[in-house]
Amino acid sequence: MGTVFLLVLVLSVSLIGISQGQLKVGFYSDTCPDAESIVSGVVRDAAQSNSNIPPVLLRLHFHDCFVEGCDGSILIENGPNAERHAFSHQGVGGFEVVDQAKAQLEATCPGVVSCADIVALAARDAIALANGPSYDVPTGRRDGRVSDVSLADNMPDVSDSIHQLKAKFLQKGLTEKDLVLLSAAHTIGTTACFFMTKRLYNFSPGGGSDPSINPLLLPELQSTCPENGDVNVRLAMDRGSEQTFDKQILDNIRNGFAVLESDAKLYEDVTTRGVVDSYFGLLSPILGPSFEADFVESIVKMGQLGVKTGSKGEIRRVCTAFN
């Protein structure tokens, strides 16, 4: 990656990065006091019907925030050029859960709660349902008025180098530590064999499989995702702990059991490797950093990317369409 490009990324952080605006915990306490409990109820009911809902909602929050900020732009459905149809968003779901929550909120408090806030709150509730940490979500986001498929071209990708991943996070005002912690959201959920083919059978530059894959894991992955097999078959991203939100994903990364190529890359870089290892020192349980607390700090920080507040944006009547 060229020096000039990196310089542009560094200079752009102040323009594109974190924007707290007028977000605050309990933003709807007067205007719609049951807002958060309504969202929680919808998420809980959806997860009871489909155990994959928690990771789906967590991924939706990430993908929304990385394009145009956390403004619900990914929810718009206004034709083939809508952002949600971007290649980088393939497999993203949870839209129907957000729509259900919005319908209940409109029936209770019409025109008050934004779709962008529903996405952030639903991700928080999803994490709790997967035995992850509970935390307060600053709210007050307004919904964006732009949804363009081309704006999602620079999403982080599973085949990105560690330098590309760090640069994409830096562009959003997020650090190497944030990169590790937000990648650790892969502790729950599944991915498709489509995203594994290159790593298993055509890993550059010499072809074959990625040499960083633990020899015990490789046959498992190849059995689930055979060459020229069904690319839609799904497999857990966190071997041995895909239903529980915990730091097992980081231990897997340390030991060559990372499923996604981008997760494995976190152990190639001195800085990101140091973050991963920091949660496994001899004194970590007592004196070391808390994975759960640090994750909460990072996801709350991510949830403030490019937010629209005050007179910016709008409060959509339905999440799939601009007013």
Side-chain angles (χ1 to χ4, degrees):
M1 187 176 294
T3 302
V4 173
F5 181 57
L6 280 176
L7 179 60
V8 171
L9 286 179
V10 172
L11 292 175
S12 68
V13 168
S14 62
L15 300 176
I16 303 176
I18 307 300
S19 174
Q20 293 189 37
Q22 299 167 24
L23 299 187
K24 69 175 184 177
V25 174
F27 182 85
Y28 300 109
S29 59
D30 294 328
T31 55
C32 191
D34 293 330
E36 296 197 20
S37 62
I38 288 173
V39 175
S40 296
V42 171
V43 171
R44 183 176 59 253
D45 290 346
Q48 288 175 347
S49 301
N50 181 355
S51 62
N52 197 44
I53 285 296
V56 166
L57 291 173
L58 181 51
R59 187 181 182 207
L60 178 63
H61 184 33
F62 177 84
H63 280 251
D64 182 38
C65 289
F66 256 72
V67 182
E68 288 294 290
C70 310
D71 68 348
S73 58
I74 196 172
L75 306 174
I76 292 295
E77 178 57 287
N78 61 355
N81 290 323
E83 180 199 320
R84 71 157 70 183
H85 299 300
F87 181 80
S88 59
H89 288 333
Q90 59 186 324
V92 174
F95 302 108
E96 71 287 350
V97 180
V98 175
D99 291 342
Q100 290 168 15
K102 180 61 171 175
Q104 290 193 24
L105 287 164
E106 285 299 298
T108 305
C109 316
V112 174
V113 182
S114 70
C115 300
D117 274 343
I118 294 172
V119 172
L121 290 168
R124 183 270 305 275
D125 297 332
I127 292 168
L129 287 173
N131 295 315
S134 299
Y135 59 96
D136 291 325
V137 175
T139 45
R141 300 166 187 79
R142 289 172 65 84
D143 298 319
R145 295 191 177 104
V146 175
S147 179
D148 187 326
V149 68
S150 66
L151 295 175
D153 288 345
N154 203 38
M155 282 290 299
D157 187 80
V158 292
S159 62
D160 282 345
S161 70
I162 185 61
H163 300 294
Q164 289 173 312
L165 291 169
K166 289 167 65 175
K168 287 179 179 181
F169 273 66
L170 174 63
Q171 186 182 29
K172 301 297 182 184
L174 298 171
T175 66
E176 290 97 337
K177 184 176 182 180
D178 295 321
L179 168 59
V180 171
L181 290 159
L182 294 172
S183 296
H186 295 151
T187 179
I188 54 175
T190 61
T191 189
C193 288
F194 174 84
F195 297 106
M196 301 298 300
T197 302
K198 173 178 172 288
R199 190 178 189 214
L200 293 178
Y201 303 107
N202 192 28
F203 192 75
S204 58
S209 60
D210 181 352
S212 73
I213 302 174
N214 189 298
L216 296 176
L217 177 63
L218 182 59
E220 290 181 21
L221 296 177
Q222 292 178 327
S223 175
T224 303
C225 301
E227 192 168 13
N228 301 318
D230 183 356
V231 296
N232 295 310
V233 170
R234 303 196 68 83
L235 66 161
M237 292 184 287
D238 187 8
R239 182 179 183 267
S241 183
E242 67 270 19
Q243 296 291 332
T244 303
F245 193 99
D246 56 22
K247 65 179 181 180
Q248 177 67 38
I249 183 76
L250 298 181
D251 201 29
N252 282 339
I253 290 170
R254 297 173 76 221
N255 292 296
F257 287 99
V259 172
L260 291 178
E261 182 182 344
S262 56
D263 288 347
K265 295 280 178 62
L266 298 175
Y267 218 60
E268 294 180 0
D269 176 80
V270 172
T271 304
T272 52
R273 182 169 63 246
V275 176
V276 172
D277 286 341
S278 70
Y279 300 104
F280 297 96
L282 289 176
L283 298 177
S284 288
I286 302 172
L287 300 177
S290 164
F291 165 69
E292 289 79 8
D294 287 353
F295 176 83
V296 166
E297 183 176 340
S298 287
I299 197 169
V300 169
K301 182 179 178 182
M302 184 196 77
Q304 297 170 347
L305 291 176
V307 296
K308 283 78 175 172
T309 60
S311 61
K312 297 179 181 178
E314 64 185 16
I315 304 298
R316 292 182 205 143
R317 290 184 288 273
V318 293
C319 292
T320 54
F322 302 121
N323 290 344

